[in-house]
């Protein structure tokens, strides 16, 4: 094996070497074990003391130790050392030589005496070393073994030219050769007078005999210029790590390249570096390289490999203050303690040791002998500092078009790095904002700033060295990547896309391959972000069932219009199922429709064109979507316009397969939805239709990003597109109420504010506890849960469709036994919607060798194959379970009243209304396609005969050739008269005819050619055998190729019926949701009733109304104090309950003013009303005694008090913005819930605004309204208004007197007619535990305010009495009553 390079280019000074006794035979020799694995029972301080005692035995044990070390070295690397052909005594002082320190390249040197002792040579035999001066700038010196000393004959000698032993193209060595050439002409005396390095190292001061290299450590300045380490691939090879100071002169350390051992089959275990014995803080830095393919090194020439080692011995700049000797603790224990044989193999220990780290994080951040935190090498790079960083286009951060996702890496820096690290920096340059999981063999490794993130966020540990470096096994990718992605990071998976053999073949095609060519190719195979997760076999299972969307947004302001509106183009996709939505719509100045969109389809990531979003849109992105990742793309190049988008779709040919399935002509390359957005006059579909330019541009930004993440082919080729139309757009098109509500596709509008205020999807803490979704969701399948959420965000408006859902619930209630059986079967179904997307991704021919993932070399390929097969078989089992569900419900379908239920559970093949596809034939076909159990255990699919034509053809060819060969052998037996002739051989030597020696030479035909012999036999080949064998090999290659691609082709064949498979999933999702609603309808905590919806007429006599009796809150079963929930009646726009005592004239009032004490239940009542209406239009039973109402087109809410600090909006501004949306978009069919409007400003301003809003809602819009208030003057103003009714939450007051502390308020939580006289705020103050003195002072002030208010009213009445000549005694009596109350 060729010598491979080390990761670390420089080493710290060596501590005093320590002799070690020969280890027992039961464990590997210490020289072969990594230093971090070696154990000791003594402390580092005791070890240091022990060094002195060992010096006496050094000479006697050195030879033995040297022999052990050499043996271990030879086992690992092979004995390739070149014997020194010249006698060392020939090299006198001043002689020019080539010298080589182990682990370093050959270097031009001059033999000089050691400046302190005057010695030129020391040691004997193999340990003999010569002192040399290295030609360098600045000069350095060191002791070099005489084995590695050769005569220097100048840079023009054959040995120093291309192909020669000492050739190097490295600038530093070329410069050293120039310096050596300059002194060749000088005399020996003149050479020795030249300036030389005279500074001693600490090693020479402590133990001169043990000095090996002066200046082996670097200053900070030099470290910043240090070359980056090379990362080469290596295959399964035991790790070996040896400290520089582990042995004394007789057992010198072998600088060895560290290669990471591949995991065994049980590599699924979590990788735990801390399981390896960690070294002490005093351990010196070791020469470590994490690597992956041992064979990769075969492609490197010895010269190139050596240059990738530490470039040169560098003079160590000494500080003024000398380090104290006690800091020179030995790097390894002085003794090898006796240990019992361990169950863990040495290979495993070696592999773990490559990732060993200090026991605590503190020891990682603070280096030996230092008090501060470690400054990593990448932190010393000047061009990487925050204030000096540039993007790939060399633009500074202050430039307008600066790209924060890229990084400028200087070319001279790249040229100084090693090939592997050069590639890392090249990738980092393009993906600066992304964490690179860089594949090295069987490990993903993180370097520099990425390694710091890995340690901080993933709990990984730093490997030893001056540059940040951490990693984990390939099998852990899914877990580690998901953690980072959920925390908002981007993760790039970088794979090796070449084997060492492929690299060798590539290098042979290059005229003069450099060291940068002699490294396996690595490519980015996937970039994963929060919005682009596809959950492939490498990624693992999804952590949640709900969809997460990638939203692309394009805006066009329309300032010229009076409403200052704007238009939006949107494109959003759930990448886990590959379903795209695309649309364009106009919006108001409050961005109501955009807010509704992001509430219904919450994006995990938002893309927008830089400089495009308006201030209002940016406020939404900043406030409403603060938890989403947001990324601006450059206009044109990244965020495409409509024309470029259509052109890219045409060129990439994403939809070729799906269009051929759906269209007979095949001439149209776009799905129907996208085609409808192109100009009808353009047959090539390259021109956008007017009104869809923004939508297609947003689609372009989405496609660009998916392309960047390398998932565009697998997602777009599904051709799963739907047009997004805002829910309230249809309302504007409707002519009248009848036509509007008669449209089956129309949905109720629930905007983001309403969803939040009513806690439909999330509570105020962003959790699910207490929400309507949590209460309803007992779905058994993930796709059912997603559909329920969609239904809940957009309930129905059509009474017929709502009635059909309610019929379905009643049908299922009547068949409880079958419903329970079906529910249990549904629980067995996997997430088939996402599995179909996975299978499509694996099977699509678009994602072949053109995709880097198709070239990736994966060491856990068998594991991934098993996962793919397990997913596929899981899908097949799921569809078989669906067949059982259909069979279980088949006997009942004739009795079902619901058309919807019949559609989802009846087979399409039976005719009639059924939509469920008949999958039995297809499932039977897949059952017999291959051996399922064998495929599951082996990870290989071997198709049965008749299923895969390519495989069958190859097998038929093989059988034909083997039959012909056998027939040929039979003919030869007859020809020679030998019955025991047979074919012999394996591999490429097969089909040699064995003929016994008893057959005479004259009987052997001329065409027989001897291939091999054995005692008593000769083996022959003929031209005919050669021809048939060549044909056989050709068919075998075809068979192997077919088998290798068999899984993809099988998945592709399965995916051809994608529409049927998807339809089956959709039918089961509907059934699952209906069963969930059935369980809720049956399991209520009180009476549950079927709501009655009436279609309103176009005339004024059929006004919208709501009559709700005995209603309860759908999500709250008990009061705050633990009592049962008190049911209430709510009547809006119709006559109320008799007990409410409503006036006859106010029976049709659309607005109800709600008053009552603080904490009396007003807000709960309003939320309860809104939720019950939503539940009814969802098609579900409601918690009430009865419900009759006309459909609601939209529910508006203005509940609670909150500000939007991130958007710069105060509490009162938020209140008014939400109110403005109500007044702009409300219709007579809307339901409005307004809670305490106007409390965020002065009393008079608030009262005035509230009064005006009530007037607008009650008399102009005439929508059903619940308006709660504590403004009692407002109640008085509308007490006689026929459009407004009064109601309040009842309470019982005991001990009502002047002293508020004596009052006892009992909340009755009952909604009754009339107004509440007081709000009883001091009761709430007492419950909140305000100090009694504060309450008393407040009460005194309240009496003063009340007196002032009455005085004002008296004055007002006197003025009215004076102005009204017809005033009678009744008016005068009321005036007297008010005065007497004062």
């Amino acid at each position: 094996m060729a010598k491979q390079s080390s990761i670390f280019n420089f080493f710290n000074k060596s501590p005093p070497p320590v002799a070690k006794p020969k280890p027992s035979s039961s464990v590997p020799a210490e020289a072969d074990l990594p230093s971090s694995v070696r154990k000791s029972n003594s402390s580092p301080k005791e070890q240091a003391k022990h060094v002195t005692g060992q010096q006496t035995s050094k000479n006697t044990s050195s030879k033995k130790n040297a022999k052990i070390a050499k043996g271990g070295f030879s086992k690992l690397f092979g004995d390739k050392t070149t014997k020194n052909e010249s006698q060392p005594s020939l090299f006198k002082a001043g002689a020019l030589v080539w010298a080589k320190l182990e682990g370093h390249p050959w270097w031009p040197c001059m033999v000089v005496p050691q400046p302190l002792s005057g010695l030129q040579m020391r040691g004997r035999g193999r340990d003999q070393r010569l002192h040399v001066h290295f030609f360098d700038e600045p000069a350095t010196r060191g002791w070099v073994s005489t084995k590695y000393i050769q005569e220097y004959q100048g840079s023009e000698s054959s040995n120093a030219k291309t192909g020669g032993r000492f050739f190097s193209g490295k600038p530093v060595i070329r410069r050293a050769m120039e310096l050596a050439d300059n002194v060749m002409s000088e005399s020996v005396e003149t050479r020795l007078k030249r300036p030389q390095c005279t500074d001693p190292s600490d090693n020479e001061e402590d133990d001169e005999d043990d000095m090996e290299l002066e200046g082996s450590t670097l200053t900070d300045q030099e470290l910043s210029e240090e070359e980056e380490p090379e990362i080469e691939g290596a295959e399964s090879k035991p790790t070996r790590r040896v400290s520089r100071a582990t042995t004394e002169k007789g057992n010198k350390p072998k600088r060895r390249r560290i290669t990471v051992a591949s995991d065994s089959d049980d590599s699924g275990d979590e990788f735990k570096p801390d399981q390896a014995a960690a070294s002490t803080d005093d351990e010196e830095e070791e020469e470590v390289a994490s690597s992956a393919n041992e064979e990769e090194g075969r492609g490197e020439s010895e010269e190139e490999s050596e240059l990738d080692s530490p470039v040169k011995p560098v003079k160590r700049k000494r500080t003024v203050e000398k380090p104290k000797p006690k800091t020179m603790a030995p790097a390894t224990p002085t003794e090898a303690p006796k240990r019992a044989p361990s169950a863990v193999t040495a290979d495993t220990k070696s592999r773990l040791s490559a990732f060993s780290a200090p026991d605590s994080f503190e020891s990682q951040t603070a280096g030996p002998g230092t008090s501060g935190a470690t400054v990593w090498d990448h932190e010393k790079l000047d061009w990487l500092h925050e204030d000096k960083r540039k993007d790939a286009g060399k633009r500074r951060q202050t430039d307008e078009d600066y790209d924060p996702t890229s990084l400028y890496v200087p070319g001279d820096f790249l040229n100084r790095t090693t090939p592997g690290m050069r590639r890392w920096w090249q990738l980092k340059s393009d993906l600066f904002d992304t964490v690179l999981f860089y594949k090295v063999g069987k490990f993903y490794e993180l370097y520099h700033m990425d390694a710091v993130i890995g340690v901080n966020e993933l709990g990984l540990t730093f490997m030893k060295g001056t540059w940040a470096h951490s990693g984990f096994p390939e099998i852990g990718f899914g877990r580690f990547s998901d953690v980072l992605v959920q925390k908002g990071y981007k993760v790039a998976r970088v794979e090796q896309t070449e084997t060492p053999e492929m690299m060798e073949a590539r290098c042979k095609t290059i005229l003069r391959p450099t060291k940068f060519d002699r490294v396996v190719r690595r490519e980015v195979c996937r970039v994963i972000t929060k919005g682009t997760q596809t959950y492939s076999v490498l990624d693992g299972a999804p952590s949640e069932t709900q969809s997460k969307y990638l939203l692309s947004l394009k805006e066009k302001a329309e300032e010229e219009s009076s409403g200052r509106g704007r238009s939006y183009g949107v494109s959003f996709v759930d990448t886990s199922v590959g379903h795209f939505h695309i649309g364009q719509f106009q919006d108001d100045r409050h961005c109501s429709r955009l807010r509704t969109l992001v509430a219904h389809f919450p994006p995990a990531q938002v893309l927008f064109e830089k400089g495009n979003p308006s201030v209002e849109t940016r406020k939404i992105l900043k406030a409403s979507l603060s938890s989403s990742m947001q990324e601006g793309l450059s206009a044109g190049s990244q965020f495409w316009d409509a024309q470029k988008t259509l052109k890219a779709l045409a060129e990439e040919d994403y939809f070729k397969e799906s269009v051929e399935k759906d269209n007979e002509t095949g001439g149209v390359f776009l799905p129907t939805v996208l085609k409808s957005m192109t100009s009808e006059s353009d047959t090539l579909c390259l021109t956008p239709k007017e009104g869809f330019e923004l939508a297609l541009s947003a689609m372009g930004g989405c496609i660009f990003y998916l392309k960047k993440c390398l998932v565009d082919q697998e997602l777009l080729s599904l051709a799963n597109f739907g047009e997004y139309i805002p829910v309230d757009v249809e309302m504007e098109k409707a002519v009248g109420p009848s036509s509007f509500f008669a449209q089956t596709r129309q949905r109720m509008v629930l905007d983001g504010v309403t969803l939040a205020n009513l806690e439909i999807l999330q509570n105020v803490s962003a959790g699910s506890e207490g929400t309507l979704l949590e209460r309803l969701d007992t779905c058994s399948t993930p796709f059912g849960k997603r559909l329920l959420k969609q239904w809940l965000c957009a309930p129905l408006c059509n009474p017929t469709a709502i009635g059909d859902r309610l019929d379905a619930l009643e049908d299922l209630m009547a068949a409880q036994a079958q419903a329970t059986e079906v529910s249990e079967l549904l629980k067995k179904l996997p997430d088939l919607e996402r599995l179909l997307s996975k299978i499509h991704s694996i099977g699509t021919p678009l994602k072949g060798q053109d995709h880097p993932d198709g070239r990736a070399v994966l060491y856990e390929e068998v594991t991934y194959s098993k996962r793919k097969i397990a997913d596929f078989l899981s899908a097949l089992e799921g569809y078989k379970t669906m067949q059982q569900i259909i069979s279980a419900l088949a006997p009942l379908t004739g009795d079902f009243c619901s058309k919807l239920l019949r559609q989802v559970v009846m087979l399409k093949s039976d005719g009639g209304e059924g939509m469920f596809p008949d999958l039995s034939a297809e499932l039977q076909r897949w059952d017999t396609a291959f051996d399922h159990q064998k495929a599951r255990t082996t990870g290989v699919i071997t198709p049965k005969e008749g299923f895969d034509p390519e495989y069958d053809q190859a097998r038929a060819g093989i059988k034909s050739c083997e039959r012909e060969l056998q027939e040929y052998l039979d003919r030869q037996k007859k020809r020679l008269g030998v019955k025991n002739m047979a074919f012999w051989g394996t591999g490429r030597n097969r089909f040699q005819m064995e003929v016994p020696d008893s057959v005479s030479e004259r009987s052997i035909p001329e065409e027989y050619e001897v291939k091999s012999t054995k005692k008593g036999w000769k083996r022959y080949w003929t031209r005919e055998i050669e021809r048939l064998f060549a044909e056989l090999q050709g068919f075998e290659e075809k068979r192997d190729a077919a088998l290798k691609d068999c899984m993809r082709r099988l998945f592709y064949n399965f995916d051809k019926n994608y529409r049927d498979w998807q339809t089956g999933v959709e039918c089961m999702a509907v059934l699952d949701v209906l069963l969930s609603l059935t369980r809720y309808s049956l399991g209520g905590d009180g009476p549950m009733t079927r709501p009655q919806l009436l279609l309103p007429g176009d005339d004024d006599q059929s006004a919208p109304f709501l009559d709700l009796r005995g209603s309860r809150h759908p999500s709250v079963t008990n009061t705050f104090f633990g009592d049962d929930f008190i049911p209430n009646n709510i009547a809006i726009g119709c006559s109320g309950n008799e007990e409410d005592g409503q006036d006859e004239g106010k029976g049709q009032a659309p607005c109800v003013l709600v008053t009552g004490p603080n904490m009396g239940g007003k807000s709960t009542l309003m939320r309860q009303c809104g939720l019950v209406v939503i539940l009814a239009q969802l098609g579900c039973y409601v918690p009430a005694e009865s419900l009759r109402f006309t459909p609601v087109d939209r529910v508006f809410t203005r509940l609670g008090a909150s500000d939007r600090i991130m958007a710069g909006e105060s509490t009162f501004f938020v209140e008014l913005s939400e109110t403005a949306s109500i007044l702009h978009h409300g219709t007579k069919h809307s339901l409005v819930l307004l809670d305490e409007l106007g409390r965020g400003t002065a009393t008079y301003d608030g009262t005035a605004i509230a009064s005006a809003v009530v007037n607008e809602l009650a008399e102009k819009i005439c929508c059903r309204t619940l308006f709660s208030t504590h403004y009692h003057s407002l109640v008085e103003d509308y007490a006689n208004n026929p459009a407004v009714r009064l109601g309040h939450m009842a309470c019982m007051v005991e001990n009502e007197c002047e002293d508020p502390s004596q009052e006892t308020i009992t909340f009755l939580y009952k909604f009754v007619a009339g107004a509440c006289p007081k709000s009883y705020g001091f009761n709430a103050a007492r419950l909140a535990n305000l100090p009694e003195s504060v309450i008393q002072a407040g009460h005194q002030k309240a009496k003063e305010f009340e007196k002032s208010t009455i005085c004002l009213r008296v004055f007002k009445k006197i003025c009215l009495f004076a102005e009204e000549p017809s005033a009678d005694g009744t008016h005068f009596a009321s005036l007297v009553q008010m005065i007497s109350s004062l």
Side-chain angles (χ1 to χ4, degrees), residues 120-169:
Q120 177 180 316
M121 187 179 297
R122 67 179 185 182
R124 294 181 181 178
R126 295 180 180 178
D127 298 331
Q128 195 172 52
R129 287 185 283 174
L130 198 64
H131 191 269
V132 296
H133 161 95
F134 294 90
F135 288 104
D136 200 359
E137 297 173 341
T140 54
R141 61 187 179 85
W143 292 96
V144 180
S145 172
T146 52
K147 294 187 297 182
Y148 300 110
I149 300 288
Q150 295 292 318
E151 183 182 0
Y152 181 83
Q153 297 174 343
S155 59
E156 296 302 315
S157 66
S158 59
N159 278 343
K161 289 187 176 180
T162 306
R165 182 179 183 185
F166 308 118
F167 170 77
S168 173

Side-chain angles (χ1 to χ4, degrees), residues 768-789:
S768 62
E769 186 179 358
T771 62
L772 183 60
L773 178 62
E774 185 208 36
R775 189 75 179 84
L776 293 177
D777 187 6
T778 56
C779 293
S780 305
T781 64
F783 44 87
K785 291 177 183 291
R786 290 193 287 271
L787 181 64
L788 174 61
K789 185 179 178 183

Side-chain angles (χ1 to χ4, degrees), residues 792-1001:
L792 199 50
C793 286
L796 299 170
C797 281
N798 186 312
T800 307
I802 295 169
D804 197 36
R805 281 191 189 173
L806 290 166
D807 288 343
L809 300 194
E810 291 186 349
D811 289 338
L812 292 171
M813 288 178 190
Q816 270 300 293
Q818 289 82 356
T820 304
E821 180 187 353
V822 167
S823 296
E824 291 302 315
L825 289 171
L826 283 170
K827 289 177 183 177
K828 297 179 181 179
L829 295 183
D831 194 342
L832 287 165
E833 198 172 19
R834 285 175 172 167
L835 277 181
L836 286 177
S837 181
K838 265 190 188 182
I839 291 170
H840 171 83
S841 172
I842 298 167
T844 177
L846 284 173
K847 191 179 175 182
Q849 287 299 311
D850 292 338
H851 194 286
D853 237 353
R855 300 186 290 269
V857 179
L858 299 172
Y859 287 79
E860 298 288 350
E861 185 70 56
V862 174
T863 303
Y864 304 139
S865 294
K866 288 179 181 178
R867 286 181 187 173
K868 290 175 185 176
I869 291 167
D871 284 344
F872 183 66
L873 296 179
S874 175
L876 292 178
E877 290 300 320
Y879 282 106
K880 289 178 186 175
T881 304
M882 285 187 189
Q883 297 282 85
Q884 295 177 36
I885 292 171
I886 299 300
S887 301
L889 294 174
L892 305 174
T893 53
D895 301 328
F896 288 158
C897 299
S898 169
K899 178 182 176 182
L900 174 66
L901 190 57
R902 290 197 301 271
Q903 284 177 333
V904 299
V905 300
M906 290 177 67
L907 291 176
K908 194 175 182 179
S909 58
D910 294 344
E913 300 168 311
M915 293 178 63
F916 193 89
D918 187 357
L919 305 172
S920 52
E922 192 69 10
L923 290 172
Q924 179 64 30
R925 177 169 163 266
W926 285 103
D927 265 347
T928 57
F930 59 94
D931 187 333
H932 291 190
Q933 190 55 42
K934 182 181 177 184
R936 197 189 294 270
T937 53
T938 63
V940 177
I941 291 179
T942 306
K944 293 183 180 176
E945 192 170 349
F947 197 85
D948 188 336
E950 291 183 31
Y951 182 72
D952 291 344
Q953 186 180 356
R955 286 188 62 188
I958 291 171
K959 287 181 180 178
S960 174
C961 288
E962 288 176 342
R963 186 174 60 253
E964 288 186 43
L965 283 164
Q966 188 59 45
E967 289 173 355
Y968 180 78
L969 179 65
D970 292 340
R971 291 199 300 270
Q972 300 308 308
K973 286 181 180 178
K974 291 179 181 178
R975 185 177 180 181
L976 296 177
V978 180
K979 292 183 179 180
N980 60 346
M981 274 178 63
F983 283 130
W984 174 92
T986 57
R988 295 186 177 275
N989 295 317
R990 283 176 290 168
F991 299 106
Q992 297 179 26
M993 293 187 297
E994 280 192 327
V995 180
D997 286 345
S998 58
V999 179
S1000 66
E1001 287 290 336

Side-chain angles (χ1 to χ4, degrees), residues 1257-1312:
L1257 292 170
E1259 298 187 6
K1260 293 186 179 178
I1261 299 176
C1262 300
C1263 56
R1264 285 161 284 187
T1265 305
L1266 286 176
F1267 191 108
S1268 74
T1269 184
H1270 287 289
Y1271 294 140
H1272 295 282
S1273 59
L1274 181 67
V1275 176
E1276 291 175 9
D1277 290 345
Y1278 284 95
N1280 299 316
N1281 191 317
V1284 178
R1285 283 173 51 195
L1286 302 181
H1288 72 276
M1289 298 304 295
C1291 66
M1292 187 170 64
V1293 184
E1294 299 176 21
N1295 303 327
E1296 187 171 9
C1297 60
E1298 290 295 319
D1299 186 0
S1301 62
Q1302 301 303 313
E1303 290 181 350
T1304 303
I1305 310 294
T1306 303
F1307 301 123
L1308 301 180
Y1309 301 113
K1310 198 72 179 173
F1311 185 55
V1312 295

Side-chain angles (χ1 to χ4, degrees), residues 1360-1381:
L1360 289 173
F1361 186 74
E1363 293 174 0
E1364 184 62 51
S1366 61
D1368 55 12
T1370 308
H1371 290 83
F1372 188 73
S1374 65
L1375 179 61
V1376 172
Q1377 185 181 355
M1378 288 183 69
I1379 293 173
S1380 63
S1381 68

